[in-house]
Amino acid sequence: MMMVSVTSLIGCGASNQERAEDALALLKAKYSQDFIVSPSGSHNVTSSKGMLSVVAQPADNDKIVFKAVLDKDGNLKSDTYIPRIVSGHMNELLKQELGAIGIESETYTYFADTNGKSGAETNPSITLAQYVQAYQPSYFSGFMIVKDKSDLSPDQFEKALTAVYMAASNRPYQVEVSVIASDQYEQAADSFARQPDITSGWFSDYKVLQKFDAIADEKGYHYQITRAAQATGDGE
């Protein structure tokens, strides 16, 4: 992997540069591995009201991009490394299930109402089952993008979402599915996978042809179409 200096990524004063280095050192101390400021995207080191936010990734893995925050005293206030790892486990399960029926996808999952202790987790090898058992999230939600195809239907997602629901010890799972135009999907999927988080604004750069909310919970699988399918799209 090409190593990129913190200075070149920040493009700002020594104060933020030094604090970014401090953040990487604190992450290394916590997880016993090396991290770098992510070279993907822009504004990967920002400060506001004494807080410093760093978009980081493991030095040997550019597939896990996350945020770390330093407080004004230089302490590691929070980071999303473990949640991004567990989200990756869920993404791989969904990709496997959907790929078996010819659907290409990427998913970003958020966790709700953990017991307040998950920020202290330091094991990058933690599994989905271990995370659920230890931190008891009440439900999961997220964003999914899929590549448009002629016979795509929300009904085809039942097996995949049910598999995640069961793998997460019967925690409800709700995902907003956005169908991306096939000629833009490859670019969208690459960008999606390298985001430290996903917001609704991210979708404005891509043609979203259909949207629906898909849910697996104690009532089974159900969905609601929020944007009807269309032949072309012009983003959000």
Side-chain angles (χ1 to χ4, degrees), residues 5 30 83 170 216:
S5 72
K30 181 177 182 179
N170 297 341

Side-chain angles (χ1 to χ4, degrees), residues 176-194:
E176 178 185 277
V177 181
S178 295
V179 181
I180 305 294
S182 58
D183 62 336
Q184 292 191 348
Y185 180 77
E186 205 170 300
Q187 177 186 359
D190 182 68
S191 171
F192 189 95
R194 296 176 188 276

Side-chain angles (χ1 to χ4, degrees), residues 128-209:
L128 172 58
Q130 289 169 339
Y131 185 91
V132 171
Q133 181 177 9
Y135 303 113
Q136 301 294 311
S138 58
Y139 67 93
F140 298 95
S141 64
F143 293 100
M144 177 189 291
I145 60 170
V146 300
K147 184 177 181 179
D148 183 41
K149 58 194 300 264
S150 60
D151 60 346
L152 192 67
S153 164
D155 292 309
Q156 296 171 316
F157 291 72
E158 179 174 1
K159 186 173 184 290
L161 263 73
T162 301
V164 170
Y165 172 71
M166 295 176 65
S169 301
N170 297 341
R171 269 27 178 218
Y173 186 76
Q174 176 173 341
V175 64
E176 178 185 277
V177 181
S178 295
V179 181
I180 305 294
S182 58
D183 62 336
Q184 292 191 348
Y185 180 77
E186 205 170 300
Q187 177 186 359
D190 182 68
S191 171
F192 189 95
R194 296 176 188 276
Q195 300 302 310
D197 55 33
I198 299 293
T199 65
S200 57
W202 177 87
F203 295 89
S204 63
D205 290 333
Y206 303 100
K207 295 178 182 178
V208 179
L209 305 183

Side-chain angles (χ1 to χ4, degrees), residues 5-232:
S5 72
V6 172
T7 305
S8 65
L9 286 164
I10 299 174
C12 61
S15 177
N16 278 2
Q17 176 188 340
E18 292 169 357
R19 294 185 71 198
E21 295 284 5
D22 289 344
L24 298 178
L26 289 169
L27 288 169
K28 181 176 181 177
K30 181 177 182 179
Y31 295 110
S32 300
Q33 63 182 116
D34 293 321
F35 295 88
I36 62 171
V37 175
S38 175
S40 300
S42 59
H43 306 294
N44 286 342
V45 179
T46 57
S47 60
S48 176
K49 298 181 180 179
M51 309 281 279
L52 187 82
S53 178
V54 179
V55 178
Q57 65 186 53
D60 61 354
N61 186 350
D62 62 358
K63 303 299 184 184
I64 304 175
V65 181
F66 66 98
K67 281 187 178 180
V69 176
L70 288 189
D71 65 21
K72 62 182 180 180
D73 296 319
N75 301 307
L76 186 61
K77 182 176 186 293
S78 64
D79 71 87
T80 59
Y81 184 42
I82 296 299
R84 287 293 286 123
I85 288 173
V86 179
S87 173
H89 296 330
M90 302 177 86
N91 182 42
E92 288 305 312
L93 177 55
L94 288 162
K95 285 169 70 74
Q96 177 182 330
E97 294 289 343
L98 292 171
I101 55 174
I103 297 175
E104 296 182 46
S105 70
E106 293 288 344
T107 306
Y108 191 113
T109 300
Y110 295 91
F111 313 142
D113 297 336
T114 61
N115 58 17
K117 300 179 181 179
S118 61
E121 179 59 57
T122 60
N123 178 19
S125 298
I126 192 169
T127 66
L128 172 58
Q130 289 169 339
Y131 185 91
V132 171
Q133 181 177 9
Y135 303 113
Q136 301 294 311
S138 58
Y139 67 93
F140 298 95
S141 64
F143 293 100
M144 177 189 291
I145 60 170
V146 300
K147 184 177 181 179
D148 183 41
K149 58 194 300 264
S150 60
D151 60 346
L152 192 67
S153 164
D155 292 309
Q156 296 171 316
F157 291 72
E158 179 174 1
K159 186 173 184 290
L161 263 73
T162 301
V164 170
Y165 172 71
M166 295 176 65
S169 301
N170 297 341
R171 269 27 178 218
Y173 186 76
Q174 176 173 341
V175 64
E176 178 185 277
V177 181
S178 295
V179 181
I180 305 294
S182 58
D183 62 336
Q184 292 191 348
Y185 180 77
E186 205 170 300
Q187 177 186 359
D190 182 68
S191 171
F192 189 95
R194 296 176 188 276
Q195 300 302 310
D197 55 33
I198 299 293
T199 65
S200 57
W202 177 87
F203 295 89
S204 63
D205 290 333
Y206 303 100
K207 295 178 182 178
V208 179
L209 305 183
Q210 181 183 9
K211 276 190 175 185
F212 58 91
D213 293 330
I215 304 166
D217 57 21
E218 66 279 1
K219 298 178 182 178
Y221 173 75
H222 42 111
Y223 63 86
Q224 179 178 3
I225 294 175
T226 56
R227 178 188 293 185
Q230 52 186 302
T232 59

